[in-house]
Amino acid sequence: MSEETQEKDYSMLYIALVAIVAISVLLMVKSSESDKFAPIKEQINEEHRLMNIRVLN
């Protein structure tokens, strides 16, 4: 009788690791973009606030 040694299939583990790495890279890029445009968003919010005061008065 010959004994067959079953090798573990790590393909799902590799796919999960690649997915986790890809998601983390996307999140890092997204957070750096929001940090880059934060001053512009503040300026737009300030402009809207000033325009609303003019309309209400």
Side-chain angles (χ1 to χ4, degrees):
M1 292 188 179
S2 65
E3 294 181 14
E4 293 183 18
T5 58
Q6 291 184 346
E7 295 182 17
K8 291 186 178 181
D9 188 17
Y10 293 112
S11 61
M12 292 304 290
L13 179 64
Y14 295 142
I15 291 172
L17 287 174
V18 168
I20 290 171
V21 168
I23 290 170
S24 62
V25 167
L26 287 174
L27 290 175
M28 288 173 45
V29 168
K30 181 68 176 170
S31 69
S32 70
E33 282 184 0
S34 26
D35 292 342
K36 183 170 63 172
F37 294 115
I40 297 172
K41 287 182 182 179
E42 290 175 11
Q43 183 180 4
I44 290 173
N45 289 337
E46 180 68 19
E47 289 175 0
H48 283 292
R49 187 181 65 80
L50 292 173
M51 289 175 67
N52 288 338
I53 289 174
R54 290 184 195 141
V55 170
L56 293 176
N57 290 337

